[in-house]
Amino acid sequence: MLRVMSRRGDDRITWDSQGIETNELDAVAAVREAERIFNDERKKGATAFRVEAGKTVGRIDTFDRTAEQIVLVPRVVGG
């Protein structure tokens, strides 16, 4: 799952990991869309974190389709 934080809360994009393994069209399209969003948000300055149950949260710089959950936090601008 890719979660993109925003003023509205968060937007979620999910994909079926098993479907990717078997090249199911919907799963492949979903993961491509998640990767596109990931890259677009990173270009805007967002920070990405890999989140998995029972593990320490870690910052990532590239999209990882095997991650249980990726959280994108937009750049915070002070005022």
Side-chain angles (χ1 to χ4, degrees):
M1 173 189 314
L2 175 67
R3 296 176 60 195
V4 182
M5 301 296 125
S6 69
R7 285 183 233 129
R8 299 178 310 272
D10 66 324
D11 296 318
R12 297 173 186 210
I13 297 89
T14 60
W15 59 91
D16 176 10
S17 297
Q18 291 178 341
I20 293 170
E21 298 289 326
T22 59
N23 284 325
E24 290 180 24
L25 294 178
D26 289 342
V28 171
V31 80
R32 283 185 181 154
E33 178 66 3
E35 187 169 11
R36 183 193 67 75
I37 292 168
F38 179 94
N39 290 330
D40 287 350
E41 292 298 318
R42 290 283 294 136
K43 286 177 187 173
K44 294 177 192 174
T47 302
F49 299 93
R50 181 182 176 132
V51 180
E52 294 190 4
K55 294 185 179 178
T56 303
V57 173
R59 185 174 170 187
I60 59 174
D61 294 319
T62 57
F63 182 77
D64 182 356
R65 67 177 61 186
T66 65
E68 184 176 310
Q69 187 174 158
I70 298 171
V71 178
L72 280 167
V73 180
R75 177 180 289 174
V76 177
V77 179

